[in-house]
Amino acid sequence: MKKRGPLLLFFISLIMLLSGCSSKLLVLDPKGPVAKTQSSTIIFSMIVMAVVLLVVYVMYIYMLTKYRATKANEGYEPPHIEGSKWLELIWTIIPIIIVVILSVVTVRTTNAVEKVPAGYEDQKPLVIYASSSDWKWHFSYPEENIETVNYVNIPTNRPVEFRLYAFGPITSFWVPQLGGQKYAMSDMVNKLNLVAEHEGSFFGRNSNFSGKGFAHMEFEVLAQSPADYTKWVDDVKKTASKLTEDEFNKLLDTPVVGRKTYSSTHLEFRPAPEGANGGHHHGGGDADAKDNTGSMDHSNMNMDDMESMDHSQHE
Amino acid sequence: MKLDEFFVTGEPMIYAAMVSIVVASLAILIGLTYFKKWGYLWREWLTTVDHKRIGVMYIIAALLMLFRGGVDALLMRAQLAVPENGLLDAQHYNEIFTTHGVIMILFMAMPFIIGLMNIVVPLQIGARDVAFPRLNAVSFWLFFAGAMLFNLSFVIGGSPDAGWTAYFPLASLELSPTVGNNFYSIALQIAGIGTLLTGVNFIVTILKMRAPGMKLMQMPMFTWSILITSVIILFAFPVLTVALALMMFDRMFGGQFFTMANGGMDMLWANLFWVWGHPEVYIVILPAFGIYSEIISTFSKKNLYGYKSMVASMVVISLLSFVVWAHHFYTMGHGAMVNGVFSITTMAIAVPTGVKIFNWLFTLQKGRISFTTPMLYTLAFIPIFTIGGVTGVMLAMASADYQYHNTMFLVAHFHYVLIPGTVFAVIAGFHYWFPKMFGFRLNERLGKLAFWLIAIFFNVTFLPLFFLGLNGMSRRMYTYSAGSGFGPLNMIASIGAVGLALGFVVLCYNIYWSFRYAPRENASDPWGGGRTLEWATHSPVPEYNFARTPNVKGMDAYWHSKKENQPLFEGKIEPIHMPNNSGQPFILGVIFFFLGFFLIFSWWIPSIIAGIAVIIMLAARTFERDHGRHIPVKEIIETEKKLGGELV
């Protein structure tokens, strides 16, 4: 059967591409512990799956070459074979074992990426609210009391807690080299813990389709040394203008804008949908989630509460 | 409403499409009148309740939709071939990927499968028809009305543009103010009712109408897969019905189920959509498994290996398909615990699927494998689908999915599952059972040529997407910058898409060529290795399927009756009771089409009138006395003689 030729070729090129490109593909070129966990999970699963593929392909090629109809076996009557309890058990149990191994890895790594990365637990995370509106990203730094649009600067080797929400359709916050994505939605705040261990400029984007300008909805994450970062914050505080409510509303009404910098945040007049403002809360195993459980439990969502929080400014 | 809002305007491509639609419709109308085929069309096709003809109509519709969805795909690949391409604007691109997804899943894959099951299942179980023939026609016309309505959005009103998942709040009236997503909710609703009715019909057919002696565990594997699929339909489609109804309330009557303010929950839509949407994946894949099981066994001249574990795995898959939906939104922030649970249930599906792969491989063992066109598709399915399967396991791992989610990696994965899984299967089944529909086989040389084009260029198209995803390319981006480095791999994928399209063109040319030139064989078992009951009757199959009801004594009844020289049909020919043709299902479909159309544009008075017309149609049916008719023995014997069957 000629089929196996091209397929084997694809398989080999797959492996070669993987090994050749691994230093180039963004996801497999992590610059922080979260992305590192994810990329090693991916590579581990690729190896396991390559073994599975190999087994199937070897058997497949064997069956097709050995049992093809030829002139030599013209009168051959294939036997009636019901099946084999043992063989069928084997190819049930081995996949179960593989799935169990992968499940253990998955549960452990899923827990790991939801938490502050190991080794950074004792540091106070830098909280940055990242919210999307139409096709732009707003980054509010409550501690520093500054806000940027479409770019975000972070210090290296310090945990950053992004709090994600949206003033419009669901978007997904993704910085492939620092860690996988999470959704930003209008009625709750999602938390994403990232750490950059290398200085540099990283590509970030919304990866959940959100309408016309979606393709252009990118931002830059600039990881700076703590000293440079502090200097940048000071600079912003000195030079940038304040973000007024009018200015912010105007910003929301403009679908696409370039980079902006402000020396105050929108959180004061337009708080994020968390705590008393929240519809529901799905924080990822976070310590302070406990403090607010009373007001955040969405099973007894309070309609009065909902009215006071207005998400519909957005066109 | 102004006329320029009613018709889609501003794009030369749309005008060209409008002109071609008008020209094609006129050509059909004039042709039918000139050749005096109106009566024939009405008597033989539009009013038919014959399951085989309904099946053929499903397949014709599915092939048409394959081309509509295929053109969408080509346009997308053309747009993405080079960075910063200006061929399509964002809006047009968004509409195209939305309709591509909806059409390929709901108006191509599903009807193609339903078409094949309509033709084959009653034959495989030795029945004369489905349990409710008239309902079957209603199902078809509802599907057809929905499909036409959905396609109309292309030139009238504007297509839906929020993705085939129509996530809220993007799909809400607030953010998608055109009627596009009304088309989505109404057209899918009408087609969905048809599908639900089909599910009911086939459960009853398979459970109640099997030939005497055929136990459940002796049914052919395709029939088994359809039984399980029908059960999934029965449980999954009501969820879609409810979700679409809520969507309709939100968009047309000021409902607040999924809005951003007033307590609406966008996650509720995502949950409802995928509670239906994930089982839907198995609705289109399980019948494919059934088709492959039949073909692999026929062309290795062996019985299916591990029949019982094959059935068991399908049952397990069907159960698991309902408990994995949350893997579609791991990144919605439901925490490590929920993600962990859904990761495990999702990966667990790999186990029964793996069992099936190995059983197929061992069916080949000690067989005598002949490489016919249907067998080639089946054999290509195994290695390609396995890639789709293992990448599925990779996606199931929640921590890693944070990186794949919504990227080209995902797009590559589900095309690697759905194309070798469903598309190859329906093409294989189409070639395999074609003689049962028309009495001759499709050309093998052209069939193989189409196969090689499709199999090779499929990989050229979709393999690069895995790497694009890992390199940070999101799905549904209408353009990308040159600096992103996505250009070269996208170009390869686009070249592959052209090759893939070429394969489908050859496939269609083959149908045309074979209708004109292929030798008419009229053999009951043209492949020579048929094992199940459909090969025991003539090709093409007479209206009544079997002149006498077969007596089944075990699995692969036809094969064993041949080998052991035991007669399958005993007793004498008796008059056969058949249902009468009826124009009602067609008319009901037309009324539903208009009802849907009026609802979409919120034209309430015509909607109410159409709604009343539907009720009148249903009421009229309850008062109707139609006991069908009997085909006299003489006529049966004549038909049998004409078809060259052994007599009495």
Side-chain angles (χ1 to χ4, degrees):
Chain A
M1 164 66 175
K2 283 163 244 150
K3 184 75 213 113
R4 68 183 181 275
L7 274 167
L8 246 165
L9 209 70
F10 277 123
F11 185 58
I12 292 165
S13 55
L14 182 87
I15 292 171
M16 282 180 17
L17 270 166
L18 276 180
S19 52
C21 291
S22 59
S23 56
K24 279 191 195 154
L25 296 174
L26 287 187
V27 166
L28 302 180
D29 182 23
K31 298 290 183 207
V34 179
K36 188 137 190 24
T37 308
Q38 286 161 337
S39 104
S40 39
T41 310
I42 290 170
I43 289 170
F44 172 74
S45 67
M46 276 180 180
I47 294 167
V48 176
M49 291 299 117
V51 173
V52 174
L53 274 183
L54 196 70
V55 172
V56 171
Y57 282 19
V58 167
M59 282 177 60
Y60 175 77
I61 291 164
Y62 173 79
M63 299 298 178
L64 286 193
T65 41
K66 185 127 195 246
Y67 300 108
R68 50 191 309 185
T70 55
K71 290 228 167 71
N73 63 7
E74 199 135 4
Y76 169 64
E77 271 289 319
H80 178 94
I81 304 174
E82 281 289 327
S84 153
K85 233 177 232 163
W86 287 111
L87 280 174
E88 284 166 55
L89 261 180
I90 287 174
W91 60 65
T92 313
I93 287 169
I94 293 178
I96 288 178
I97 294 170
I98 295 174
V99 166
V100 168
I101 294 170
L102 291 176
S103 299
V104 171
V105 172
T106 306
V107 170
R108 291 174 73 123
T109 52
T110 305
N111 269 303
V113 298
E114 287 283 349
K115 280 193 223 137
V116 177
Y120 294 93
E121 296 95 337
D122 48 347
Q123 283 193 53
K124 187 169 163 281
L126 170 67
V127 174
I128 300 176
Y129 284 85
S131 51
S132 64
S133 72
D134 272 345
W135 306 300
K136 55 193 167 294
W137 286 96
H138 312 261
F139 297 98
S140 318
Y141 299 65
E143 279 169 54
E144 283 84 355
N145 202 29
I146 57 171
E147 178 152 332
T148 58
V149 176
N150 287 335
Y151 79 100
V152 57
N153 289 12
I154 56 169
T156 51
N157 296 313
R158 180 175 169 193
V160 181
E161 182 182 304
F162 284 101
R163 298 195 181 170
L164 314 171
Y165 60 101
F167 292 97
I170 301 173
T171 52
S172 196
F173 181 90
W174 188 30
V175 190
Q177 287 185 287
L178 296 184
Q181 55 195 294
K182 256 194 191 166
Y183 280 169
M185 294 181 280
S186 64
D187 49 359
M188 64 186 249
V189 166
N190 249 335
K191 284 179 187 165
L192 184 62
N193 294 292
L194 299 180
V195 177
E197 282 177 337
H198 299 264
E199 287 177 36
S201 160
F202 305 119
F203 158 82
R205 66 163 294 114
N206 162 27
S207 69
N208 188 60
F209 174 64
S210 62
K212 262 185 202 162
F214 161 69
H216 303 295
M217 201 170 163
E218 292 173 0
F219 55 89
E220 183 199 357
V221 182
L222 186 67
Q224 299 174 302
S225 68
D228 285 348
Y229 172 76
T230 321
K231 195 165 157 280
W232 171 76
V233 172
D234 288 341
D235 260 11
V236 169
K237 280 184 175 165
K238 260 183 255 158
T239 55
S241 59
K242 277 203 178 314
L243 178 60
T244 60
E245 192 162 357
D246 282 348
E247 167 82 12
F248 185 68
N249 285 338
K250 231 186 278 167
L251 209 54
L252 286 183
D253 283 342
T254 325
V256 183
V257 297
R259 295 184 175 205
K260 303 255 178 207
T261 314
Y262 300 100
S263 60
S264 69
T265 73
H266 72 256
L267 296 167
E268 294 133 40
F269 47 83
R270 191 67 61 76
E274 62 181 345
N277 306 303
H280 18 280
H281 186 90
H282 299 250
D286 222 73
D288 68 347
K290 275 191 205 112
D291 310 336
N292 299 317
T293 35
S295 59
M296 286 178 183
D297 188 359
H298 64 277
S299 59
N300 45 28
M301 205 171 18
N302 186 335
M303 290 310 282
D304 300 335
D305 238 321
M306 299 300 297
E307 264 162 13
S308 70
M309 110 189 163
D310 184 10
H311 297 298
S312 56
Q313 306 79 4
H314 171 87
E315 289 261 302
Chain B
M1 177 179 267
K2 284 188 226 113
L3 210 60
D4 65 332
E5 281 171 30
F6 187 68
F7 290 107
V8 178
T9 52
E11 284 257 355
M13 260 188 276
I14 301 270
Y15 294 131
M18 282 180 187
V19 170
S20 60
I21 289 172
V22 171
V23 169
S25 316
L26 275 177
I28 293 171
L29 293 181
I30 293 168
L32 283 172
T33 316
Y34 182 78
F35 292 108
K36 300 201 171 60
K37 289 289 185 193
W38 282 106
Y40 165 80
L41 188 70
W42 177 257
R43 276 190 312 274
E44 301 290 323
W45 293 96
L46 301 185
T47 61
T48 188
V49 291
D50 183 341
H51 66 94
K52 300 174 288 293
R53 296 217 158 160
I54 290 173
V56 170
M57 291 194 290
Y58 265 116
I59 290 174
I60 292 170
L63 281 172
L64 282 175
M65 291 298 111
L66 176 71
F67 275 80
R68 164 72 214 273
V71 169
D72 284 346
L74 282 177
L75 279 172
M76 275 191 277
R77 282 311 337 162
Q79 166 68 16
L80 291 182
V82 288
E84 320 267 8
N85 198 353
L87 179 67
L88 302 176
D89 61 14
Q91 179 61 26
H92 200 168
Y93 187 83
N94 298 346
E95 292 179 3
I96 281 175
F97 73 67
T98 302
T99 50
H100 170 75
V102 174
I103 285 176
M104 284 306 202
I105 294 281
L106 285 149
F107 298 127
M108 195 289 282
M110 293 255 302
F112 213 133
I113 281 164
I114 294 175
L116 286 176
M117 77 197 224
N118 256 298
I119 293 162
V120 179
V121 167
L123 295 173
Q124 278 199 332
I125 60 174
R128 292 243 158 81
D129 209 331
V130 295
F132 310 109
R134 173 105 55 118
L135 190 72
N136 201 18
V138 171
S139 293
F140 172 75
W141 289 112
L142 287 183
F143 145 72
F144 196 72
M148 289 302 109
L149 208 50
F150 192 80
N151 275 280
L152 205 61
S153 71
F154 175 44
V155 286
I156 293 180
S159 289
D161 57 0
W164 90 283
T165 51
Y167 270 9
F168 277 82
L170 186 62
S172 67
L173 195 58
E174 201 182 348
L175 297 176
S176 292
T178 68
V179 293
N181 280 291
N182 294 1
F183 271 105
Y184 180 98
S185 74
I186 301 295
L188 263 56
Q189 188 71 282
I190 293 171
I193 298 169
T195 309
L196 189 55
L197 296 177
T198 300
V200 174
N201 209 341
F202 276 81
I203 292 175
V204 181
T205 305
I206 294 170
L207 291 181
K208 303 292 281 186
M209 296 183 63
R210 295 193 308 280
M214 184 185 277
K215 299 195 181 83
L216 274 179
M217 286 309 279
Q218 291 169 347
M219 294 195 309
M221 196 51 69
F222 180 63
T223 301
W224 252 118
S225 72
I226 294 303
L227 177 62
I228 294 168
T229 304
S230 301
V231 174
I232 302 181
I233 288 177
L234 195 64
F235 282 93
F237 265 77
V239 184
L240 179 70
T241 307
V242 170
L244 289 173
L246 297 182
M247 181 181 191
M248 180 178 80
F249 274 104
D250 260 21
R251 290 192 54 89
M252 296 181 205
F253 305 112
Q256 304 283 343
F257 292 104
F258 313 120
T259 50
M260 285 185 279
N262 303 319
M265 292 170 77
D266 41 15
M267 277 178 75
L268 179 63
W269 169 265
N271 273 290
L272 287 175
F273 182 85
W274 286 115
V275 167
W276 161 78
H278 198 84
E280 166 69 19
V281 174
Y282 292 89
I283 293 172
V284 296
I285 203 79
L286 287 179
F289 290 173
I291 295 170
Y292 288 137
S293 299
E294 300 293 335
I295 292 175
I296 213 161
S297 146
T298 299
F299 295 106
S300 4
K301 297 212 175 308
K302 275 187 75 209
N303 61 316
L304 195 64
Y305 193 92
Y307 177 90
K308 282 179 195 156
S309 62
M310 289 296 240
V311 174
S313 1
M314 282 199 291
V315 173
V316 173
I317 291 174
S318 72
L319 295 174
L320 285 174
S321 75
F322 282 94
V323 292
V324 301
W325 79 92
H327 72 219
H328 292 274
F329 38 89
Y330 281 147
T331 64
M332 233 174 213
H334 29 41
M337 174 71 184
V338 174
N339 278 351
V341 170
F342 279 96
S343 283
I344 294 168
T345 54
T346 306
M347 281 190 272
I349 293 187
V351 176
T353 314
V355 169
K356 298 188 77 71
I357 297 271
F358 285 107
N359 278 333
W360 285 317
L361 286 174
F362 271 74
T363 305
L364 296 170
Q365 192 209 17
K366 299 202 168 114
R368 190 169 182 274
I369 306 165
S370 46
F371 298 99
T372 58
T373 308
M375 186 62 163
L376 283 178
Y377 281 105
T378 308
L379 291 174
F381 151 79
I382 293 176
I384 303 178
F385 181 82
T386 311
I387 296 179
V390 296
T391 50
V393 173
M394 289 165 65
L395 276 157
M397 303 173 76
S399 55
D401 179 73
Y402 290 5
Q403 291 282 23
Y404 311 128
H405 196 86
N406 272 330
T407 67
M408 283 305 206
F409 189 92
L410 167 83
V411 175
H413 155 72
F414 69 70
H415 283 91
Y416 259 87
V417 178
L418 283 171
I419 292 185
T422 304
V423 180
F424 283 18
V426 292
I427 300 175
F430 181 66
H431 280 85
Y432 181 57
W433 284 306
F434 193 83
K436 284 288 134 192
M437 305 175 217
F438 300 107
F440 58 95
R441 278 184 287 179
L442 292 168
N443 181 285
E444 281 284 289
R445 278 176 67 102
L446 285 169
K448 284 177 184 169
L449 176 66
F451 162 77
W452 284 108
L453 285 171
I454 290 171
I456 290 170
F457 284 107
F458 162 77
N459 286 289
V460 178
T461 311
F462 293 103
L463 201 69
L465 304 192
F466 284 119
F467 301 101
L468 282 170
L470 290 176
N471 203 20
M473 184 172 177
S474 294
R475 71 200 287 210
R476 295 169 172 173
M477 284 163 61
Y478 83 101
T479 189
Y480 52 90
S481 65
S484 62
F486 302 152
L489 284 174
N490 270 305
M491 181 49 107
I492 295 175
S494 298
I495 293 169
V498 174
L500 199 51
L502 203 64
F504 284 107
V505 169
V506 174
L507 178 80
C508 282
Y509 175 70
N510 189 6
I511 298 173
Y512 164 79
W513 189 94
S514 304
F515 262 99
R516 288 200 68 166
Y517 307 112
R520 272 37 180 181
E521 297 164 301
N522 291 100
S524 71
D525 180 16
W527 299 106
R531 311 181 69 86
T532 40
L533 285 178
E534 75 268 31
W535 306 107
T537 184
H538 314 286
S539 313
V541 182
E543 187 193 2
Y544 46 77
N545 293 357
F546 301 94
R548 287 168 298 175
T549 309
N551 248 319
V552 179
K553 295 194 184 66
M555 223 181 289
D556 291 346
Y558 176 63
W559 176 265
H560 287 291
S561 81
K562 261 195 316 190
K563 290 289 150 196
E564 286 137 36
N565 246 329
Q566 278 185 348
L568 201 53
F569 302 99
E570 286 157 324
K572 61 180 193 350
I573 291 181
E574 280 164 20
I576 296 171
H577 179 254
M578 297 302 286
N580 284 326
N581 281 3
S582 165
Q584 282 179 7
F586 175 74
I587 295 167
L588 194 65
V590 172
I591 298 175
F592 258 101
F593 174 87
F594 281 106
L595 171 64
F597 187 76
F598 297 144
L599 279 176
I600 285 162
F601 286 92
S602 305
W603 295 344
W604 301 120
I605 291 170
S607 304
I608 292 166
I609 295 170
I612 292 171
V614 167
I615 294 168
I616 290 173
M617 288 296 290
L618 299 179
R621 170 71 177 127
T622 65
F623 289 108
E624 193 184 354
R625 282 173 196 276
D626 179 2
H627 299 298
R629 71 207 151 87
H630 281 89
I631 305 177
V633 176
K634 217 179 106 197
E635 198 185 320
I636 299 167
I637 292 177
E638 266 168 28
T639 315
E640 289 287 299
K641 260 189 196 149
K642 209 170 69 195
L643 289 166
E646 316 147 43
L647 258 182
V648 197

